[in-house]
Amino acid sequence: MHFLGSVELLSLSATSFPLLLSRLNFLLFSLSIQEQVLARMRSPFSLKQEFLKKWILGLQRCRSSKKNMSIFKRKKVIKLSADVAMASARKGTTCWSRALIADAVKEGNADKHLAEKILGPASERQPTEKVPVGAMAYNKRIRSKKILKRSSVIRRTIKCAPQAARPSSIVKTLVGKRRQILRSLIPGGEFMNGVSLIEETLDYIISLRAQVDVMRSLASASKLVNLN
Amino acid sequence: MDIGEKDKYELGKRDEHNNINYQAPVLSSDWQFGGANLTSAGMSLVPTTNPLAIGSSCASASLVDSFGSSLWEHPSNSQNMGFCDFSVQNGANSSNAMEVGKGLPNSLRSSIDRPFDMGWNAASAMLKGGIFLPNTTGILAQSLSQLPADSAFIERAARFSSFNGGNFSDMVNPFGVPEPMGLYARGVGLMQGPDDIFAVNGMKSVSVMESQKSKLDATEATRDAGLRVENRAKASPLENERKSESLMQPNEEAKQGTGGSGNESDEAEISSRDGGQDEPSALDGTGGEPSAKGLSSKKRKKSIQDAEIDRAKGGQTSTKTAKDSPENQQKQSMMINKTTGKQGSPASHPPKEEYIHVRARRGQATNSHSLAERVRREKISERMKFLQDLVPGCSKVTGKAVMLDEIINYVQSLQRQVEFLSMKLATVNPRLDFSIEALLAKDIIQSRAGPSSTLGFSPDLSMGYPPLHPSQPGLVQAPLPVIGNSSDVIHKALSSQLTSMTGGLKEPNQHSNAWEDELHNVVQMN
């Protein structure tokens, strides 16, 4: 039905032919993105299986010789391995997965060794290693963007102080604040701009849902096993 | 007390004049697509007296009601907030008006207040169109003979001609121009210029006649205003989209304004942006307003020719920074298409070229709302629709802010669930040994995904899982049906089930061995 909306727009606009072409191009491009996301949504089962496999592998790697791991440590291990497994299931295609893994193996992180253990030997970390170079440049760009944004926001607030009550500016701040919150929620969200933020959110939600489903089924299965 | 009443009554007169002013656009827009006779209507409104004003206000109230949702909801939605702010900031003026309202009989007050509200919204909507008009008429000096076809402007001009020049200030003041309406004040001030010219031309009949002629001859602003009105009038399903777009546009504008870093925009881009403006004017109509409002102040400060140059420059600087390459390429290809299209058919659309030219000059808004910006907005709206399907309970919600709220809540709840489940798993399993459970879970996932399953008891288990599917209410509830189910199965103790159960329980051990073998293989490989 969204496609119909675009067609309606096309008919309304009464544009010249090249413009129509451009519109069609845009539609095709958008459709490809749609298909991508749809494909990811259609095969949650494979995603879940992959996630489970990776998770169990990571847990096995983490199994220490010490018999008494505290519950909190265990929980941390479980969660970390789950997150890393989820992120690696994406194989570096999405920004949030890369950011998650990068955060896990960051220098200042307390559980860095754990994360590295989970990730396994360096040979396995190929997809994440490739990215950092591009990511650094991207981060720089984003940081400069942010600085510019901040400065222009200051300029704009000075200019627009008397007009702050306009409804458009109210809407701007409403949406902008929420975007900030969303950015803080999603790993690596600070580096995403408008469109990619929503795409990443989509993917992140799908992955989180799969993760929750798998964990829940695992919990119920283990309960069953414990009962019997 | 007499004097006070007189004052109140005079204020009330002015109020009604205001109402007329505000309602004239309402009525005029009605006539525009009603195709009614403009002359008579235009003439009749000018010599208004109090009873007629009241009558017209009541009539317009009914008209406005008849328009109802299609026409006024969305503009009023976006402008009600503005109206509330105006009322807050108007302070004395609005309170005076309200007191005036109280002074008048109650019936009149109720009838006037509502159209006043609607009229205010209408006025702010129409005045945006009106603000643009004087600029364009100032620009196109030669086309002053062809007066704008916007009947709202006609009404206003008619009123101006009927009043004396001195009364114009009286007209301005009772509008109660607060600071947020500073734009409007400036716009009204600008209207004084063409007002003189119009008075000279004796524009009433001329303007009306011109309006009856082809609208293509009119300036683009009027066409825009007319289209805007038409678009609002059509109760189209596109409205939600447009509204969401108009909501998104301010946000995108903010990003536009703040993006700022140098994009390598060619002259082609500028000209193509100019060229590309006359296509979906529908979108631009609704979109042009909020941005044009913010930028029209910039316009008026400079001269007209400088404004064009500045706008072109501003368009350059305010374009979105370079994003991913496919998008850029796509943008550029689109720009190139537009330029070629423009060059390819110059002869066939000379009036359109003029039109494009004027439109580009009209405001920086059109530059920042170039095709690329629109494409980006559409992309975002598309993705938001996806998110709507994904996030439960988001189907009824429209508008970016609320949807983002829902999304944030959903993501937070999912993250919390992950935490909770990991803690639960930590309690359940003291040794981080998940092999058997993993196998079970795998089969459970399999059984959920597909009907076939290797283990005997998994169909029974899968019966417990549909309650798990639809929602994530409480995790404590989730395992209970499963456990209950399995216990039922055990208690029912059908021989086949028992054997399948025991068989199933035995099988995991075998399977777990296979699984662990697999794992070992994988680990060895690594």
Side-chain angles (χ1 to χ4, degrees), chain B residues 225-402:
Chain B
L227 271 174
R228 237 178 278 134
V229 166
E230 283 173 11
N231 290 332
R232 284 211 205 94
K234 290 178 198 162
S236 61
L238 286 172
E239 263 188 0
N240 278 342
E241 197 180 328
R242 269 194 222 109
K243 184 197 174 191
S244 60
E245 282 202 25
S246 66
L247 278 176
M248 278 186 260
Q249 279 156 22
N251 185 25
E252 301 324 317
E253 259 180 69
K255 301 220 163 161
Q256 277 284 303
T258 57
S261 59
N263 203 8
E264 301 296 320
S265 56
D266 318 321
E267 297 171 9
E269 215 175 86
I270 300 167
S271 59
S272 62
R273 224 177 280 120
D274 298 348
Q277 292 322 311
D278 70 321
E279 51 94 40
S281 52
L283 285 173
D284 245 0
T286 52
E289 290 165 21
S291 52
K293 224 167 108 182
L295 298 158
S296 51
S297 57
K298 259 195 226 171
K299 268 185 298 181
R300 285 183 211 101
K301 284 172 188 169
K302 308 165 187 166
S303 70
I304 293 155
Q305 291 105 9
D306 293 344
E308 186 190 11
I309 299 165
D310 285 334
R311 239 168 270 125
K313 279 191 200 154
Q316 264 183 334
T317 53
S318 69
T319 50
K320 275 303 280 185
T321 61
K323 290 191 336 179
D324 308 334
S325 51
E327 247 182 65
N328 263 342
Q329 285 168 10
Q330 186 196 351
K331 249 196 269 180
Q332 284 164 11
S333 67
M334 273 192 265
M335 300 297 181
I336 293 164
N337 284 341
K338 272 184 283 167
T339 48
T340 51
K342 194 180 161 198
Q343 291 157 11
S345 59
S348 54
H349 303 284
K352 250 192 179 179
E353 273 211 20
E354 256 180 50
Y355 183 86
I356 291 166
H357 201 51
V358 168
R359 192 185 253 263
R361 272 206 214 109
R362 182 162 71 79
Q364 216 165 359
T366 53
N367 273 338
S368 63
H369 286 278
S370 61
L371 185 68
E373 180 63 21
R374 206 175 296 121
V375 161
R376 190 172 160 272
R377 260 184 275 122
E378 283 174 0
K379 262 195 204 171
I380 287 188
S381 60
E382 216 183 282
R383 309 284 160 65
M384 298 285 281
K385 286 206 175 174
F386 250 127
L387 278 173
Q388 238 182 5
D389 300 331
L390 203 59
V391 175
C394 227
S395 47
K396 302 168 198 165
V397 171
T398 50
K400 243 190 166 187
V402 189

Side-chain angles (χ1 to χ4, degrees), chain B residues 116-128:
Chain B
F116 184 71
D117 291 352
M118 297 300 222
W120 190 279
N121 293 335
S124 47
M126 281 302 154
L127 283 164
K128 283 174 202 163

Side-chain angles (χ1 to χ4, degrees), chain B residues 385-461:
Chain B
K385 286 206 175 174
F386 250 127
L387 278 173
Q388 238 182 5
D389 300 331
L390 203 59
V391 175
C394 227
S395 47
K396 302 168 198 165
V397 171
T398 50
K400 243 190 166 187
V402 189
M403 271 232 342
L404 280 174
D405 250 352
E406 290 291 318
I407 290 162
I408 287 168
N409 286 338
Y410 190 55
V411 167
Q412 275 173 343
S413 74
L414 281 175
Q415 283 175 341
R416 259 182 264 131
Q417 274 182 2
V418 166
E419 295 260 351
F420 180 77
L421 278 168
S422 63
M423 180 62 103
K424 188 170 176 192
L425 280 170
T427 59
V428 155
N429 207 305
R431 281 179 305 118
L432 282 183
D433 179 17
F434 285 106
S435 51
I436 299 172
E437 294 92 343
L439 187 67
L440 276 178
K442 196 172 176 188
D443 291 319
I444 286 162
I445 295 169
Q446 245 177 2
S447 67
R448 261 196 243 176
S452 66
S453 57
T454 53
L455 299 176
F457 67 92
S458 44
D460 297 323
L461 283 174

Side-chain angles (χ1 to χ4, degrees), chain A residues 149-164:
Chain A
K149 208 191 244 191
R150 250 179 253 129
S151 62
S152 53
V153 160
I154 291 166
R155 259 190 284 127
R156 233 183 336 122
T157 48
I158 291 169
K159 231 193 258 182
C160 301
Q163 300 168 355

Side-chain angles (χ1 to χ4, degrees), chain B residues 444-512:
Chain B
I444 286 162
I445 295 169
Q446 245 177 2
S447 67
R448 261 196 243 176
S452 66
S453 57
T454 53
L455 299 176
F457 67 92
S458 44
D460 297 323
L461 283 174
S462 65
M463 275 159 36
Y465 288 113
L468 286 176
H469 273 292
S471 60
Q472 311 135 28
L475 294 162
V476 188
Q477 299 174 18
L480 287 178
V482 176
I483 296 165
N485 232 347
S486 64
S487 61
D488 285 342
V489 164
I490 292 169
H491 286 314
K492 277 172 191 168
L494 283 172
S495 62
S496 58
Q497 279 192 354
L498 264 178
T499 51
S500 68
M501 275 286 296
T502 51
L505 279 175
K506 276 182 201 157
E507 281 177 20
N509 292 329
Q510 298 164 10
H511 279 269
S512 68

Side-chain angles (χ1 to χ4, degrees), chain A residues 2 5 8-9 12-15 18-19 22-23 25-26 29-30 33-34 37-38 41 45 48-49 52-53 55-57 59-61 63 69 71-72 74-75 77-79 83 121 123-124 141 145 148-149 152-153 156 159 162-163 165-168 170-172 174-176 178-179 181-183 185 193-195 198-199 201-202 204-206 208-209 211-228, chain B residues 78 81-82 85 89 237-238 241-242 247 250-252 254-255 257-259 261 279-280 283 290 293-294 298 321-323 330 334 337-338 341 352 371 374-376 378-380 382-387 390-391 400-401 404-405 407-408 410-412 414-415 417-419 421-423 425-434 436-438 440-442 444-446 448-449 461 465 468 472 475 478 482-483 486 519 522-523 526:
Chain A
H2 190 75
E8 262 182 285
L9 282 170
L12 266 179
S13 58
T15 58
L19 275 167
S22 65
R23 279 276 161 160
N25 287 340
F26 161 65
F29 182 64
S30 63
I33 298 280
Q34 276 185 15
V37 181
L38 273 173
M41 278 165 51
F45 169 55
K48 285 182 191 172
Q49 276 209 311
L52 183 66
K53 199 164 46 168
W55 186 21
I56 300 297
L57 269 176
L59 279 176
Q60 289 214 327
R61 282 202 199 109
R63 215 189 295 176
M69 279 171 103
I71 185 169
F72 297 108
R74 265 182 282 152
K75 176 234 174 190
V77 166
I78 289 170
K79 179 160 192 293
D83 289 339
S123 57
E124 207 176 86
R141 245 191 299 150
K145 249 199 248 181
L148 271 167
K149 208 191 244 191
S152 53
V153 160
R156 233 183 336 122
K159 231 193 258 182
Q163 300 168 355
R166 265 185 303 131
S168 56
I170 292 170
V171 171
K172 265 187 235 183
L174 279 178
V175 176
R178 284 169 172 85
R179 277 179 171 228
I181 298 174
L182 194 60
R183 278 204 184 93
L185 278 180
N193 60 349
V195 182
I198 298 183
E199 278 180 23
T201 318
L202 262 174
Y204 189 58
I205 288 179
I206 293 170
L208 269 182
R209 254 215 266 192
Q211 194 176 358
V212 165
D213 283 342
V214 168
M215 288 175 98
R216 200 183 289 157
S217 58
L218 193 63
S220 55
S222 50
K223 266 218 161 170
L224 265 181
V225 169
N226 283 349
L227 275 182
N228 299 337
Chain B
S78 61
M81 290 206 294
D85 290 332
Q89 293 186 359
L238 286 172
E241 197 180 328
R242 269 194 222 109
L247 278 176
N251 185 25
E252 301 324 317
K255 301 220 163 161
T258 57
S261 59
E279 51 94 40
L283 285 173
K293 224 167 108 182
K298 259 195 226 171
T321 61
K323 290 191 336 179
Q330 186 196 351
M334 273 192 265
N337 284 341
K338 272 184 283 167
K352 250 192 179 179
L371 185 68
R374 206 175 296 121
V375 161
R376 190 172 160 272
E378 283 174 0
K379 262 195 204 171
I380 287 188
E382 216 183 282
R383 309 284 160 65
M384 298 285 281
K385 286 206 175 174
F386 250 127
L387 278 173
L390 203 59
V391 175
K400 243 190 166 187
L404 280 174
D405 250 352
I407 290 162
I408 287 168
Y410 190 55
V411 167
Q412 275 173 343
L414 281 175
Q415 283 175 341
Q417 274 182 2
V418 166
E419 295 260 351
L421 278 168
S422 63
M423 180 62 103
L425 280 170
T427 59
V428 155
N429 207 305
R431 281 179 305 118
L432 282 183
D433 179 17
F434 285 106
I436 299 172
E437 294 92 343
L440 276 178
K442 196 172 176 188
I444 286 162
I445 295 169
Q446 245 177 2
R448 261 196 243 176
L461 283 174
Y465 288 113
L468 286 176
Q472 311 135 28
L475 294 162
V482 176
I483 296 165
S486 64
L519 283 175
V522 172
V523 168
N526 292 335

